[in-house]
Amino acid sequence: MISVMCKSILGKKVGTTRIFSPEGAAVAVTVIEAGPCYVVQKKTTARDGYEALQLGFDRKRLDKLTKPLQGHMGKGEFKSGFRFLREVRLDTTESYEVGQEFDVTQFQAGDRVTVSGTSKGRGFTGVIKRWKFQRGPETHGSMSHRAPGSIGASAYPSRVIKGKKMPGRMGNARVTVANLEIIDVRPEQNLILIKGAVPGAINGLVMISKGK
């Protein structure tokens, strides 16, 4: 039993499915394999200027890591490394120790959580796909089928205004969704079932936080 809880945990998006409530209603859920996570490093105001815990998730052989990371893990005397390292800001880290383990037991059904992840990368896209612009006429005489249209002023200020919706890279950005409901927690499988969709692709890293 964990005596001190960390309100955040790292996980991997497994996929989506649906389960049935006790009333018989079908509920769409996202399945996340969350934890166990371990405290790799404590950061303090005196030494680092802020209070935070560095959490490690998804074990990885030490010899598969870079030399700097091998040395970093060696400070905590871990016998294996981690594929992912992320920081969690806290008011104080006095109650935590390096090597401490966190798992899904700190969450329960009905909790409201915030989930952060990296959205799917779509590459370089046009304005129709990126910004949902309406396309032009498809007739033979039209010269503007998928073009963005006018993008700037005339004589003044004679430039394109910053922030104009233009073609460009879409996705591959950090996305946070708040106030999602946990439907079920399965500690024996390290699984959390969250109602609705969460950011990211299958096997993508996500962070689940409570009380934000």
Side-chain angles (χ1 to χ4, degrees):
M1 184 68 180
I2 301 173
S3 58
V4 180
M5 299 295 182
C6 178
K7 292 185 178 181
S8 298
I9 193 170
L10 301 176
K12 181 172 61 176
K13 184 175 176 180
V14 177
T16 56
T17 184
R18 67 174 177 175
I19 61 175
F20 293 91
S21 67
E23 294 77 22
V27 181
V29 297
T30 299
V31 182
I32 298 176
E33 180 186 342
C37 295
Y38 300 86
V39 178
V40 177
Q41 182 183 13
K42 290 173 54 177
K43 297 203 171 183
T44 62
T45 304
R47 185 181 66 238
D48 305 290
Y50 63 99
E51 299 281 328
L53 294 179
Q54 187 182 80
L55 300 182
F57 170 66
D58 195 0
R59 286 191 176 275
K60 187 177 182 180
R61 283 169 42 186
L62 278 175
D63 59 355
K64 295 294 184 181
L65 300 177
T66 62
K67 291 292 185 179
L69 279 177
Q70 288 182 26
H72 183 57
M73 298 298 172
K75 292 180 180 179
E77 299 181 355
F78 289 99
K79 295 182 179 180
S80 66
F82 299 97
R83 191 175 303 275
F84 302 106
L85 295 175
R86 294 293 185 273
E87 285 189 4
V88 177
R89 291 289 188 102
L90 299 172
D91 294 331
T92 178
T93 58
E94 293 182 0
S95 304
Y96 302 91
E97 298 296 335
V98 173
Q100 188 171 348
E101 177 183 344
F102 301 111
D103 57 26
V104 297
T105 56
Q106 59 187 318
F107 299 93
Q108 59 185 357
D111 285 348
R112 294 284 177 169
V113 294
T114 298
V115 181
S116 299
T118 302
S119 62
K120 291 182 181 180
R122 305 296 183 180
F124 191 96
T125 62
V127 292
I128 292 179
K129 183 172 182 178
R130 191 183 188 196
W131 302 111
K132 311 302 181 187
F133 278 24
Q134 185 177 4
R135 67 175 298 145
E138 297 190 54
T139 54
H140 177 71
S142 173
M143 302 296 289
S144 180
H145 302 299
R146 299 179 66 91
S150 176
I151 62 173
S154 180
Y156 180 83
S158 299
R159 61 182 173 85
V160 178
I161 305 300
K162 288 183 178 181
K164 189 72 176 177
K165 292 181 178 179
M166 299 281 282
R169 193 189 73 176
M170 178 181 178
N172 193 30
R174 183 174 177 84
V175 178
T176 299
V177 181
N179 201 33
L180 296 177
E181 180 183 358
I182 293 180
I183 299 299
D184 194 12
V185 177
R186 301 178 181 178
E188 65 281 357
Q189 299 172 293
N190 294 322
L191 295 181
I192 296 179
L193 277 62
I194 296 180
K195 183 177 181 180
V198 303
I202 303 300
N203 293 324
L205 178 71
V206 295
M207 177 179 284
I208 305 173
S209 302
K210 183 168 59 175
K212 291 185 179 181

